[in-house]
Short mmCIF file of all heavy atoms in Angstrom, two decimals:
data_model
loop_
_atom_site.label_atom_id
_atom_site.label_comp_id
_atom_site.label_asym_id
_atom_site.label_seq_id
_atom_site.Cartn_x
_atom_site.Cartn_y
_atom_site.Cartn_z
N ASP A 13 4.39 12.81 11.93
CA ASP A 13 4.83 11.53 12.21
C ASP A 13 5.52 10.94 10.90
O ASP A 13 5.26 11.52 9.83
CB ASP A 13 3.72 10.57 12.62
CG ASP A 13 4.23 9.29 13.05
OD1 ASP A 13 5.47 9.16 13.41
OD2 ASP A 13 3.44 8.30 13.08
N TYR A 14 6.38 9.99 11.07
CA TYR A 14 7.19 9.53 10.03
C TYR A 14 6.57 8.41 9.12
O TYR A 14 7.21 7.85 8.21
CB TYR A 14 8.55 9.06 10.39
CG TYR A 14 8.56 8.35 11.74
CD1 TYR A 14 7.86 7.28 11.96
CD2 TYR A 14 9.25 9.01 12.92
CE1 TYR A 14 7.95 6.55 13.27
CE2 TYR A 14 9.34 8.39 14.10
CZ TYR A 14 8.52 7.26 14.28
OH TYR A 14 8.53 6.55 15.52
N ASP A 15 5.30 8.05 9.34
CA ASP A 15 4.58 7.01 8.67
C ASP A 15 3.76 7.55 7.52
O ASP A 15 3.73 8.70 7.20
CB ASP A 15 3.81 6.02 9.55
CG ASP A 15 2.61 6.72 10.16
OD1 ASP A 15 2.36 7.90 9.94
OD2 ASP A 15 1.87 6.03 10.83
N VAL A 16 3.08 6.67 6.79
CA VAL A 16 2.09 7.07 5.65
C VAL A 16 1.12 8.13 6.15
O VAL A 16 0.90 9.15 5.44
CB VAL A 16 1.50 5.90 5.06
CG1 VAL A 16 0.60 6.32 3.86
CG2 VAL A 16 2.53 4.79 4.51
N ASP A 17 0.46 7.88 7.30
CA ASP A 17 -0.54 8.75 7.67
C ASP A 17 0.05 10.16 7.99
O ASP A 17 -0.50 11.16 7.61
CB ASP A 17 -1.16 8.23 8.98
CG ASP A 17 -2.48 8.82 9.32
OD1 ASP A 17 -3.12 9.64 8.50
OD2 ASP A 17 -3.08 8.62 10.44
N GLY A 18 1.24 10.21 8.71
CA GLY A 18 1.91 11.46 8.96
C GLY A 18 2.36 12.15 7.67
O GLY A 18 2.08 13.38 7.57
N GLY A 19 2.98 11.40 6.82
CA GLY A 19 3.39 12.04 5.51
C GLY A 19 2.19 12.48 4.69
O GLY A 19 2.31 13.56 4.11
N SER A 20 1.11 11.71 4.66
CA SER A 20 -0.05 12.16 3.87
C SER A 20 -0.67 13.42 4.46
O SER A 20 -1.14 14.38 3.74
CB SER A 20 -1.10 11.05 3.73
OG SER A 20 -0.52 9.91 3.08
N SER A 21 -0.75 13.47 5.74
CA SER A 21 -1.36 14.54 6.51
C SER A 21 -0.48 15.80 6.22
O SER A 21 -1.06 16.88 6.02
CB SER A 21 -1.41 14.29 8.03
OG SER A 21 -2.18 13.18 8.30
N ALA A 22 0.82 15.66 6.24
CA ALA A 22 1.60 16.81 5.97
C ALA A 22 1.52 17.28 4.49
O ALA A 22 1.42 18.52 4.32
CB ALA A 22 3.07 16.41 6.31
N ALA A 23 1.41 16.27 3.58
CA ALA A 23 1.27 16.66 2.21
C ALA A 23 0.00 17.39 1.97
O ALA A 23 -0.11 18.21 1.07
CB ALA A 23 1.42 15.43 1.35
N LEU A 24 -1.05 16.99 2.64
CA LEU A 24 -2.31 17.62 2.48
C LEU A 24 -2.24 19.13 2.81
O LEU A 24 -2.68 20.04 2.13
CB LEU A 24 -3.39 17.04 3.40
CG LEU A 24 -4.05 15.80 2.93
CD1 LEU A 24 -4.84 15.11 4.07
CD2 LEU A 24 -5.03 16.01 1.77
N LEU A 25 -1.64 19.42 3.94
CA LEU A 25 -1.51 20.84 4.37
C LEU A 25 -0.48 21.61 3.47
O LEU A 25 -0.75 22.66 3.09
CB LEU A 25 -0.94 20.94 5.78
CG LEU A 25 -1.89 20.39 6.91
CD1 LEU A 25 -1.14 20.42 8.27
CD2 LEU A 25 -3.12 21.32 6.89
N ILE A 26 0.60 20.91 3.04
CA ILE A 26 1.55 21.64 2.18
C ILE A 26 0.85 21.92 0.83
O ILE A 26 1.00 23.02 0.22
CB ILE A 26 2.75 20.80 1.95
CG1 ILE A 26 3.57 20.64 3.31
CG2 ILE A 26 3.66 21.25 0.86
CD1 ILE A 26 4.72 19.66 3.24
N ASP A 27 0.12 20.98 0.26
CA ASP A 27 -0.57 21.19 -1.01
C ASP A 27 -1.61 22.32 -0.86
O ASP A 27 -1.64 23.19 -1.78
CB ASP A 27 -1.31 19.83 -1.36
CG ASP A 27 -1.88 19.84 -2.76
OD1 ASP A 27 -1.84 20.89 -3.53
OD2 ASP A 27 -2.49 18.88 -3.15
N TRP A 28 -2.41 22.29 0.09
CA TRP A 28 -3.41 23.37 0.36
C TRP A 28 -2.80 24.73 0.45
O TRP A 28 -3.19 25.67 -0.21
CB TRP A 28 -4.19 23.02 1.59
CG TRP A 28 -5.51 23.79 1.73
CD1 TRP A 28 -6.73 23.31 1.42
CD2 TRP A 28 -5.72 25.12 2.30
NE1 TRP A 28 -7.70 24.21 1.69
CE2 TRP A 28 -7.08 25.31 2.31
CE3 TRP A 28 -4.81 25.94 2.88
CZ2 TRP A 28 -7.59 26.61 2.74
CZ3 TRP A 28 -5.36 27.15 3.34
CH2 TRP A 28 -6.70 27.53 3.27
N LEU A 29 -1.76 24.79 1.36
CA LEU A 29 -1.17 26.05 1.44
C LEU A 29 -0.39 26.55 0.17
O LEU A 29 -0.43 27.80 -0.13
CB LEU A 29 -0.08 26.03 2.66
CG LEU A 29 -0.65 25.97 4.02
CD1 LEU A 29 0.49 25.50 5.03
CD2 LEU A 29 -1.25 27.34 4.51
N ARG A 30 0.20 25.63 -0.52
CA ARG A 30 0.87 26.03 -1.76
C ARG A 30 -0.17 26.53 -2.81
O ARG A 30 0.20 27.49 -3.52
CB ARG A 30 1.60 24.78 -2.26
CG ARG A 30 2.58 25.07 -3.32
CD ARG A 30 3.38 23.77 -3.68
NE ARG A 30 4.48 23.53 -2.74
CZ ARG A 30 4.99 22.32 -2.45
NH1 ARG A 30 4.49 21.23 -3.09
NH2 ARG A 30 5.97 22.17 -1.57
N GLN A 31 -1.36 26.02 -2.76
CA GLN A 31 -2.31 26.41 -3.79
C GLN A 31 -2.82 27.91 -3.34
O GLN A 31 -3.42 28.56 -4.20
CB GLN A 31 -3.51 25.47 -3.86
CG GLN A 31 -3.14 24.16 -4.56
CD GLN A 31 -4.38 23.28 -4.79
OE1 GLN A 31 -5.35 23.75 -5.35
NE2 GLN A 31 -4.28 22.04 -4.28
N MET A 32 -2.63 28.15 -2.09
CA MET A 32 -2.91 29.54 -1.61
C MET A 32 -1.77 30.52 -1.66
O MET A 32 -1.89 31.55 -1.11
CB MET A 32 -3.58 29.33 -0.14
CG MET A 32 -4.83 28.63 -0.02
SD MET A 32 -6.28 29.31 -0.82
CE MET A 32 -6.67 30.61 0.22
N GLY A 33 -0.77 30.01 -2.29
CA GLY A 33 0.47 30.84 -2.38
C GLY A 33 1.33 30.96 -1.28
O GLY A 33 2.19 31.89 -1.19
N ARG A 34 1.38 29.88 -0.46
CA ARG A 34 2.23 30.00 0.78
C ARG A 34 3.00 28.57 0.90
O ARG A 34 2.50 27.58 0.34
CB ARG A 34 1.36 30.09 2.03
CG ARG A 34 0.58 31.34 2.19
CD ARG A 34 1.58 32.49 2.38
NE ARG A 34 2.59 32.24 3.42
CZ ARG A 34 2.32 32.28 4.69
NH1 ARG A 34 1.12 32.68 5.12
NH2 ARG A 34 3.29 32.06 5.63
N GLU A 35 4.12 28.67 1.48
CA GLU A 35 4.98 27.46 1.78
C GLU A 35 5.00 27.29 3.28
O GLU A 35 4.91 28.26 4.07
CB GLU A 35 6.39 27.61 1.19
CG GLU A 35 6.43 27.66 -0.30
CD GLU A 35 6.13 26.31 -0.94
OE1 GLU A 35 6.38 25.27 -0.31
OE2 GLU A 35 5.66 26.27 -2.10
N ALA A 36 5.19 26.06 3.69
CA ALA A 36 5.32 25.71 5.18
C ALA A 36 6.63 24.90 5.36
O ALA A 36 7.08 24.34 4.41
CB ALA A 36 4.12 24.87 5.59
N THR A 37 7.17 25.01 6.50
CA THR A 37 8.31 24.27 6.93
C THR A 37 7.84 22.79 7.35
O THR A 37 6.91 22.62 8.18
CB THR A 37 9.07 24.93 8.00
OG1 THR A 37 9.46 26.20 7.67
CG2 THR A 37 10.35 24.04 8.49
N LEU A 38 8.50 21.81 6.70
CA LEU A 38 8.16 20.40 7.06
C LEU A 38 9.19 19.98 8.14
O LEU A 38 10.43 20.07 7.85
CB LEU A 38 8.08 19.59 5.85
CG LEU A 38 7.95 18.01 6.08
CD1 LEU A 38 6.59 17.69 6.64
CD2 LEU A 38 8.22 17.31 4.77
N TYR A 39 8.72 19.33 9.23
CA TYR A 39 9.60 18.69 10.13
C TYR A 39 9.15 17.34 10.47
O TYR A 39 8.03 17.20 10.98
CB TYR A 39 9.86 19.57 11.40
CG TYR A 39 11.00 19.07 12.29
CD1 TYR A 39 12.32 19.54 12.15
CD2 TYR A 39 10.75 17.95 13.15
CE1 TYR A 39 13.36 19.11 12.87
CE2 TYR A 39 11.88 17.47 13.96
CZ TYR A 39 13.09 18.05 13.84
OH TYR A 39 14.10 17.55 14.53
N ILE A 40 10.04 16.33 10.30
CA ILE A 40 9.53 15.01 10.63
C ILE A 40 10.77 14.41 11.43
O ILE A 40 11.93 14.34 10.96
CB ILE A 40 9.31 14.05 9.36
CG1 ILE A 40 8.10 14.75 8.57
CG2 ILE A 40 9.11 12.64 9.79
CD1 ILE A 40 7.69 13.87 7.38
N PRO A 41 10.52 13.94 12.67
CA PRO A 41 11.56 13.46 13.54
C PRO A 41 12.21 12.15 13.02
O PRO A 41 11.60 11.37 12.34
CB PRO A 41 10.87 13.29 14.87
CG PRO A 41 9.54 12.86 14.48
CD PRO A 41 9.16 13.81 13.24
N ASP A 42 13.43 11.99 13.36
CA ASP A 42 14.16 10.73 13.02
C ASP A 42 13.72 9.70 13.91
O ASP A 42 13.67 9.93 15.15
CB ASP A 42 15.68 11.00 13.13
CG ASP A 42 16.40 9.74 12.73
OD1 ASP A 42 16.73 9.51 11.53
OD2 ASP A 42 16.74 8.85 13.64
N ARG A 43 13.31 8.54 13.36
CA ARG A 43 12.66 7.50 14.18
C ARG A 43 13.69 6.98 15.26
O ARG A 43 13.26 6.78 16.40
CB ARG A 43 12.32 6.37 13.23
CG ARG A 43 11.54 5.23 13.92
CD ARG A 43 11.16 4.13 12.87
NE ARG A 43 9.97 3.45 13.44
CZ ARG A 43 8.85 3.35 12.59
NH1 ARG A 43 8.80 3.83 11.47
NH2 ARG A 43 7.83 2.60 13.17
N ILE A 44 15.03 6.84 14.94
CA ILE A 44 15.92 6.40 15.89
C ILE A 44 16.44 7.40 16.90
O ILE A 44 16.42 7.22 18.06
CB ILE A 44 17.13 5.70 15.10
CG1 ILE A 44 16.55 4.50 14.20
CG2 ILE A 44 18.11 5.26 16.06
CD1 ILE A 44 17.70 3.89 13.38
N ASP A 45 16.79 8.56 16.35
CA ASP A 45 17.48 9.61 17.15
C ASP A 45 16.47 10.33 18.01
O ASP A 45 16.66 10.73 19.16
CB ASP A 45 18.18 10.65 16.34
CG ASP A 45 19.43 9.99 15.64
OD1 ASP A 45 19.81 8.89 16.18
OD2 ASP A 45 19.95 10.52 14.63
N GLU A 46 15.19 10.52 17.49
CA GLU A 46 14.23 11.36 18.25
C GLU A 46 13.07 10.60 18.72
O GLU A 46 12.26 11.06 19.56
CB GLU A 46 13.77 12.52 17.34
CG GLU A 46 14.85 13.46 16.92
CD GLU A 46 14.37 14.55 16.00
OE1 GLU A 46 13.77 15.60 16.39
OE2 GLU A 46 14.52 14.32 14.68
N GLY A 47 12.68 9.50 17.94
CA GLY A 47 11.54 8.73 18.39
C GLY A 47 10.17 9.27 17.88
O GLY A 47 10.28 10.25 17.11
N TYR A 48 9.13 8.74 18.31
CA TYR A 48 7.85 9.20 17.82
C TYR A 48 7.37 10.49 18.52
O TYR A 48 7.58 10.69 19.66
CB TYR A 48 6.74 8.09 18.16
CG TYR A 48 5.35 8.53 18.03
CD1 TYR A 48 4.79 8.65 16.73
CD2 TYR A 48 4.61 8.94 19.02
CE1 TYR A 48 3.46 9.10 16.54
CE2 TYR A 48 3.26 9.46 18.89
CZ TYR A 48 2.74 9.46 17.70
OH TYR A 48 1.48 9.89 17.50
N GLY A 49 6.78 11.36 17.72
CA GLY A 49 6.16 12.52 18.29
C GLY A 49 7.01 13.62 18.57
O GLY A 49 8.22 13.68 18.51
N PRO A 50 6.47 14.84 18.95
CA PRO A 50 7.21 16.02 19.25
C PRO A 50 8.20 15.81 20.41
O PRO A 50 7.88 15.11 21.28
CB PRO A 50 6.16 17.06 19.66
CG PRO A 50 4.83 16.65 19.03
CD PRO A 50 4.95 15.07 19.00
N ASN A 51 9.33 16.34 20.27
CA ASN A 51 10.33 16.42 21.28
C ASN A 51 10.75 17.90 21.68
O ASN A 51 10.60 18.78 20.83
CB ASN A 51 11.59 15.59 21.02
CG ASN A 51 12.28 16.05 19.73
OD1 ASN A 51 13.07 17.06 19.74
ND2 ASN A 51 11.91 15.37 18.50
#
């Protein structure tokens, strides 16, 4: 999600994976064009 909770949640996973030597793809939908949640 595009708010603080979503951004912090994503950053937690990215940080954890990075420390394990891996990178992840981050995707956050545009609030206006895509709206909330998976599409």
Side-chain angles (χ1 to χ4, degrees):
D13 187 21
Y14 35 63
D15 68 357
V16 178
D17 195 12
S20 299
S21 298
L24 280 168
L25 291 174
I26 291 170
D27 188 0
W28 195 96
L29 287 167
R30 195 172 278 157
Q31 292 188 53
M32 297 295 285
R34 296 292 312 283
E35 292 290 334
T37 299
L38 172 67
Y39 189 94
I40 298 182
D42 182 90
R43 189 179 204 123
I44 296 176
D45 295 339
E46 298 176 84
Y48 167 80
N51 58 82

